[in-house]
Amino acid sequence: MSATYAAAHSFNKVMEILDRFERSETKIIPILQAVQEEYRYLPQEVMTFIATSLGVSPARLYGVATFYSHFSLEPKGKHIIKMCDGTACHVRGSSAVIDAIRKRLNLTAKKITTDDMMYTFETVSCLGACGLAPVLVVDDAIHGQVTPEQALDAIEKIEAEERENA
Amino acid sequence: MEKYIYINDRPVLWEDEKNILALARKAHIEIPTFCYHSELSLYGACRLCMVEVEGRGLVTSCSTEPFEGMRIKTHTRQILKLRKTIVEMLLANHDQECPKCSRADDCKLRDVSNRLGIDKVRFRKTRERKPKDLGSECLVRDPNKCVLCGDCVRFCDEIQGIGAIDFAARGQNVNVAAAYGKSLAQVDCVNCGQCAAVCPTGAIVVKSHIPQVWDAIHSGEKYVVAQIAPAVRVALGEMFKLPSGELATGKMIAALRILGFKKVFDTAFSADLTVVEEANEFVSRKSKGEKLPIFTSCCPAWVKYAEQSYPQLLGNLSSCRSPQQMFGAIAKERLPQQLGVEKEKLYVVSIMPCTAKKYECKRPEFSHDGIADVDVVLTTQELGRMIKEAGIDLNDLEPESMDLPMGFATGAGVIFGNSGGVSEAVLRYAADKFDIPVPENIVLQEVRGSSGLREASLADGNLKMAVVHGLKNAQILCDKIVSGEAEYDIVEVMACPGGCTGGAGQPIVHNKAQRKARTTSLYHADKTMPLHRAQDNPFINELYETLLEKPNSHQAHELLHTAYKHRKRIDDDELSLSGAGAEDRCKVRVCVGTSCYLRGSQDILAKTLQMVEENAWGKHFDIGATFCSETCDKGPTISIGDQTIHHATLPQIREMISKAAGTRE
Ligand code: SF4
Ligand code: SF4
Ligand code: FES
Ligand code: FES
């Protein structure tokens, strides 16, 4: 799928999403969720488009999108890794895992996506799975009671797959 | 039966006060507030206004309704402690650079902190320092002084109907931001400055152009002249402890001369000129029955708003430039010769009640060969500050008068500063033509008043007018006009409350009485002038005889009229779907605004993209979706290269695309 076709496809999806939620201001959150699913983040022009379609100001929509940590206004990497740093996870040693991952991917608390757009690494507050603390999520797969070694292994596994597909 | 409430054990008569705050004020107690603003919706977030209600404990006085027999305490030990804590917490995250702040004299945070005797801050800073927004010509935002009261956000949304700024992020990162964290200059902000006027601190302030003016005066090279807008003269005195509304024209002129201005002129003079031009434009449209209603165009905030939001009404805006720009054009055309100065050395400074005028004078159409018609705009506040900086004692100055010829105005030009003033001035001019009886005192009561939307029907219903202030009111009216629900001949729009007298460049307004005093005083000024109708101004007539020929002449169009263009709300918000950036590509834009969309533009867009894709023509095209909405009745509207196609159909567009591709293969 070439870039042009992909853009057109996604844009038609946005139209579809807006229609599905009846272009209603009260459905801002589900609309943004659906659009983020399509683009993996919320591109600015698409946001302005949605704001205009819903009759809200772009600043208001931006406010909503930045209120929820779930939404991202920056493009994200191909693989998304999340580490919980909520109280339970923190107490059980999430910091060491976080440090190890950041070191491996050359990221910091501010710079969360690798230059090659391969990985995004975020910390989150509580995943609601405190029983498994500390919790790591790699592309939707949940790993409980992780150690720094296990986290690095998970990254190696992705690397290997990527090499194979290249 | 009279109802009483007890404040600090003393009875207070409860009439129709909606909250404890107002009742306390009646009992001569000023409860501190940050997020309460009588013209805006209730927010109740700052908690500074807490009082104790017997049986209920602590409540926010701004949002608690009184009940009969209520017993309130306003300064218990607990309350005083709480207030201190709140203010200390705000100060902890505030940059505390007060001596460098232009709001220092008029800051609620500073005032409350003083009143509470705060001498240290016990808390640590939790917010990171954020950069200032310096992009706008009119305003500077400094998030490091923000107390998150939301007054600015609510004014922009509720009164102006724009919502250019809003709260973004959350927790300790909450901040007030324009869309995508951009500068105000890159978004739909219309520069009305009302957010700065309601901000209790220096987090949004008017951008100062004082240094430029001092430079010009001190250069020894420039010949610096001033034009003063009507509303300035009824507000400047407030900065020098004169009562609100006191007319300070003469003293102000003297001060300007002391500062180093060579000539002092009156924007009311060019307002007279605007009346003549606009009234004639209207009469001609009315006789042809076209482009009605005519919208006034003197308010640059309204003009930008219309350009962003009502492209379909742009043809209805009067093509007249605002009085400020008419003055600039005439000044640069005539003064060099009249005063014997080179055009390059003539430096025109406007003194305006308005922040948006700063933006207006920078519009490219108002500069020619690198020479701007108006070089710089100072607000009333900035003039006051210059006067203070120079140590001039305004109150003790002997009044002086304006310079001729452009300092001579009639009352018609002067009342421009009030909402309804432009309409009244035009009516006074055109009354004869429409057989409107003009009373002896030439007050046309029909268009006076303070409500946000006023309507009048004159000349047996032959002349329908509407006067609005606040852009939200304008929005409501425009929607009705677009849908055909309402019909008018003349619509006057001013963005600021009460018109220019309530402009954001004026000293901060603290209460309604202050606004009222300014309005009344301006009408008084009209009364005391020798002439009241623009057509009676001998210097305007002389201008037509020697330069402009007649109203709406070719020459008048060159100097006094302008054109408007559709503007995007947000910079670079076009949705480019392929190959943006490369300049040599054929640009294709498909409107996906509601009405084009309903007529199938989306399908055309999708199929066009598909076609380009299949033929591998991607390198030739830059295809995007836009909201043009300019010609909604002719949708779907699509532009290919420099051609615009209305009522576009898929086969037609396919053919044009193939052809464009053909010439590029
Ligand atoms: S200047 Fe006016 S339009 Fe711009 S953000 Fe402030 S209130 Fe809104
Ligand atoms: S900028 Fe001013 S008005 Fe706006 S939230 Fe901050 S303190 Fe309040
Ligand atoms: S604290 Fe980590 S899942 Fe709850
Ligand atoms: S003024 Fe009452 S809560 Fe802010």
Side-chain angles (χ1 to χ4, degrees):
Chain A
M1 199 157 66
S2 87
T4 307
Y5 185 72
H9 176 83
S10 295
F11 184 67
N12 283 337
K13 248 326 216 325
V14 173
M15 292 290 208
E16 219 178 277
I17 292 164
L18 285 169
D19 286 346
R20 173 146 45 96
F21 293 102
E22 292 142 5
R23 298 179 179 243
S24 158
E25 193 190 331
T26 56
K27 311 237 167 84
I28 284 186
I29 310 254
I31 290 173
L32 288 181
Q33 266 172 333
V35 169
Q36 172 153 307
E37 222 162 85
E38 181 58 36
Y39 286 89
R40 301 166 57 81
Y41 77 112
L42 296 171
Q44 186 176 308
E45 323 79 64
V46 176
M47 290 266 287
T48 306
F49 180 81
I50 296 169
T52 312
S53 305
L54 299 182
V56 302
S57 82
R60 165 90 13 122
L61 197 65
Y62 174 73
V64 173
T66 51
F67 185 84
Y68 297 98
S69 57
H70 169 74
F71 294 124
S72 169
L73 283 98
E74 301 291 333
K76 291 215 174 163
K78 184 171 173 195
H79 300 282
I80 297 177
I81 305 174
K82 287 185 196 149
M83 182 70 203
C84 180
D85 200 20
T87 315
C89 291
H90 192 80
V91 171
R92 291 173 165 262
S94 58
S95 306
V97 186
I98 293 171
D99 290 345
I101 295 175
R102 283 197 182 135
K103 194 159 161 240
R104 166 67 181 79
L105 297 177
N106 211 352
L107 296 173
T108 65
K110 282 250 157 85
K111 178 176 166 40
I112 61 165
T113 299
T114 55
D115 290 332
D116 61 1
M117 297 301 289
M118 198 51 98
Y119 299 97
T120 294
F121 175 58
E122 298 166 312
T123 58
V124 292
S125 303
C126 175
L127 291 166
C130 306
L132 299 174
V135 183
L136 178 75
V137 184
V138 181
D139 289 336
D140 296 333
I142 297 180
H143 303 249
Q145 290 158 357
V146 278
T147 60
E149 293 70 37
Q150 285 168 332
L152 295 181
D153 282 350
I155 295 175
E156 278 328 308
K157 222 175 109 204
I158 298 176
E159 287 283 287
E161 278 167 20
E162 285 293 336
R163 271 196 300 274
E164 225 162 82
N165 294 339
Chain B
M1 258 295 280
E2 292 185 335
K3 288 184 261 181
Y4 285 91
I5 302 254
Y6 296 85
I7 297 186
N8 302 326
D9 295 326
R10 290 164 171 249
V12 184
L13 179 66
W14 176 28
E15 284 153 315
D16 57 350
E17 288 82 3
K18 295 268 175 310
N19 54 43
I20 301 177
L21 200 60
L23 266 172
R25 221 165 261 168
K26 206 156 122 186
H28 312 293
I29 289 172
E30 188 68 35
I31 296 171
T33 61
F34 273 134
C35 70
Y36 177 76
H37 200 281
S38 60
E39 287 161 18
L40 304 175
S41 64
L42 279 176
Y43 189 45
C46 76
R47 319 315 269 179
L48 195 64
C49 66
M50 294 281 218
V51 294
E52 194 182 297
V53 173
E54 197 178 276
R56 277 224 236 158
L58 292 176
V59 301
T60 48
S61 62
C62 69
S63 44
T64 305
E65 260 182 68
F67 56 81
E68 200 179 347
M70 192 181 211
R71 301 192 79 92
I72 302 160
K73 291 255 164 44
T74 64
H75 55 266
T76 62
R77 184 201 306 262
Q78 191 190 13
I79 290 170
L80 292 182
K81 204 171 139 201
L82 192 73
R83 280 184 197 155
K84 269 196 182 174
T85 308
I86 292 172
V87 173
E88 275 184 67
M89 289 204 294
L90 292 173
L91 283 173
N93 275 321
H94 179 278
D95 67 13
Q96 298 179 33
E97 291 175 6
C98 301
K100 292 192 274 173
C101 177
S102 66
R103 280 292 297 271
D105 280 348
D106 214 332
C107 171
K108 265 200 193 174
L109 182 61
R110 203 168 181 219
D111 178 52
V112 173
S113 164
N114 271 333
R115 271 165 58 188
L116 298 177
I118 292 175
D119 52 9
K120 64 174 184 299
V121 173
R122 289 167 295 169
F123 307 107
R124 225 168 19 90
K125 199 175 194 67
T126 56
R127 279 196 261 157
E128 265 175 65
R129 214 183 156 88
K130 288 212 163 62
K132 293 186 191 180
D133 172 8
L134 299 166
S136 156
E137 261 312 309
C138 314
L139 298 163
V140 174
R141 291 200 322 115
D142 184 352
N144 309 301
K145 296 184 194 300
C146 176
V147 297
L148 300 173
C149 66
D151 288 353
C152 55
V153 170
R154 280 173 292 139
F155 202 103
C156 192
D157 177 38
E158 294 169 15
I159 310 289
Q160 301 300 44
I162 295 176
I165 42 179
D166 210 324
F167 287 111
R170 71 157 151 191
Q172 66 182 36
N173 294 321
V174 175
N175 66 105
V176 171
Y180 320 117
K182 282 179 184 274
S183 162
L184 281 180
Q186 299 168 305
V187 297
D188 42 358
C189 164
V190 299
N191 307 304
C192 71
Q194 289 298 331
C195 49
V198 295
C199 178
T201 76
I204 311 181
V205 295
V206 178
K207 183 178 259 182
S208 169
H209 289 91
I210 296 175
Q212 284 86 334
V213 176
W214 277 131
D215 278 352
I217 289 176
H218 292 148
S219 71
E221 263 209 356
K222 301 272 183 201
Y223 190 99
V224 187
V225 303
Q227 60 161 320
I228 312 172
V232 177
R233 62 203 70 183
V234 295
L236 180 72
E238 291 167 17
M239 289 180 77
F240 299 89
K241 308 225 157 57
L242 292 175
S244 300
E246 184 153 319
L247 204 59
T249 324
K251 291 176 193 285
M252 170 175 74
I253 298 166
L256 281 161
R257 295 221 172 91
I258 298 174
L259 286 172
F261 287 84
K262 291 268 185 0
K263 297 277 175 198
V264 182
F265 298 119
D266 201 341
T267 310
F269 165 85
S270 47
D272 277 344
L273 191 56
T274 309
V275 173
V276 177
E277 288 294 318
E278 192 161 329
N280 278 285
E281 186 184 16
F282 167 66
V283 170
S284 135
R285 286 193 197 179
K286 178 80 180 165
S287 67
K288 293 185 204 140
E290 65 178 27
K291 294 195 278 184
L292 293 171
I294 189 171
F295 285 88
T296 57
S297 57
C298 356
C299 170
W302 151 242
V303 168
K304 182 168 187 251
Y305 180 69
E307 289 184 316
Q308 283 165 191
S309 303
Y310 291 95
Q312 65 273 53
L313 291 177
L314 288 180
N316 290 53
L317 258 67
S318 160
S319 65
C320 287
R321 296 183 193 175
S322 70
Q324 145 162 296
Q325 293 305 143
M326 283 200 184
F327 181 96
I330 298 291
K332 292 275 159 113
E333 176 74 19
R334 288 194 110 192
L335 290 182
Q337 184 231 332
Q338 282 180 351
L339 301 169
V341 280
E342 282 167 57
K343 193 171 178 180
E344 288 72 21
K345 301 208 166 136
L346 181 68
Y347 195 81
V348 176
V349 179
S350 303
I351 319 285
M352 295 282 142
C354 172
T355 52
K357 291 281 166 191
K358 288 177 184 274
Y359 161 84
E360 181 181 57
C361 83
K362 289 278 150 35
R363 287 179 69 127
E365 58 270 34
F366 298 140
S367 283
H368 312 281
D369 308 322
I371 299 182
D373 291 341
V374 170
D375 291 280
V376 72
V377 173
L378 294 181
T379 57
T380 311
Q381 286 188 40
E382 287 167 271
L383 174 61
R385 240 174 274 137
M386 275 184 86
I387 295 174
K388 288 186 178 175
E389 187 178 353
I392 298 168
D393 185 354
L394 185 89
N395 293 351
D396 281 345
L397 296 181
E398 285 293 328
E400 295 180 14
S401 58
M402 305 242 191
D403 289 288
L404 291 178
M406 295 214 272
F408 188 92
T410 72
V414 170
I415 56 171
F416 256 61
N418 280 340
S419 161
V422 183
S423 306
E424 183 168 342
V426 168
L427 277 180
R428 288 182 190 177
Y429 180 91
D432 298 346
K433 297 198 173 61
F434 292 94
D435 281 330
I436 299 168
V438 179
E440 193 75 49
N441 60 5
I442 29 181
V443 169
L444 293 152
Q445 210 59 55
E446 290 87 343
V447 285
R448 295 196 176 181
S450 63
S451 83
L453 165 62
R454 311 193 289 283
E455 293 173 284
S457 175
L458 297 140
D460 299 324
N462 187 25
L463 206 58
K464 289 211 198 76
M465 324 191 48
V467 174
V468 288
H469 58 89
L471 293 174
K472 177 81 187 197
N473 290 327
Q475 187 180 88
I476 295 168
L477 197 76
C478 286
D479 286 341
K480 284 190 183 157
I481 290 169
V482 169
S483 72
E485 199 183 315
E487 263 183 48
Y488 302 99
D489 296 295
I490 302 179
V491 177
E492 176 194 309
V493 185
M494 298 288 160
C496 290
C500 309
T501 46
Q506 302 274 63
I508 302 291
V509 172
H510 297 280
N511 51 54
K512 284 210 176 103
Q514 197 181 345
R515 278 197 210 293
K516 183 111 190 288
R518 291 179 186 172
T519 306
T520 314
S521 171
L522 210 54
Y523 282 133
H524 267 292
D526 165 35
K527 273 201 184 140
T528 56
M529 304 194 68
L531 303 168
H532 308 278
R533 303 189 311 167
Q535 64 266 48
D536 300 334
N537 186 332
F539 294 96
I540 294 287
N541 294 330
E542 186 257 353
L543 193 61
Y544 279 107
E545 276 155 30
T546 54
L547 179 70
L548 300 170
E549 218 179 306
K550 59 177 199 298
N552 296 342
S553 68
H554 175 71
Q555 179 71 342
H557 266 276
E558 288 287 303
L559 287 170
L560 309 178
H561 291 250
T562 185
Y564 310 102
K565 64 163 204 265
H566 179 105
R567 238 170 245 282
K568 287 189 288 175
R569 289 206 293 175
I570 310 277
D571 270 12
D572 30 86
D573 67 343
E574 237 172 21
L575 198 58
S576 190
L577 300 173
S578 82
E583 281 134 38
D584 52 344
R585 293 182 187 209
C586 176
K587 195 166 159 177
V588 180
R589 287 290 174 273
V590 181
C591 179
V592 286
T594 316
S595 80
C596 285
Y597 168 70
L598 289 176
R599 293 170 207 238
S601 66
Q602 182 206 351
D603 189 47
I604 298 183
L605 177 61
K607 299 257 166 61
T608 306
L609 280 163
Q610 204 182 347
M611 174 177 168
V612 168
E613 173 69 26
E614 283 164 6
N615 292 294
W617 289 335
K619 57 185 180 297
H620 300 313
F621 293 97
D622 156 17
I623 303 176
T626 64
F627 284 96
C628 77
S629 70
E630 209 160 342
T631 43
C632 299
D633 49 329
K634 300 191 195 134
T637 298
I638 292 167
S639 71
I640 300 181
D642 45 20
Q643 274 177 290
T644 304
I645 302 103
H646 298 299
H647 302 297
T649 61
L650 184 59
Q652 187 190 4
I653 298 301
R654 274 175 177 277
E655 200 191 308
M656 293 185 69
I657 294 280
S658 321
K659 232 161 107 202
T663 59
R664 277 155 206 268
E665 282 288 77

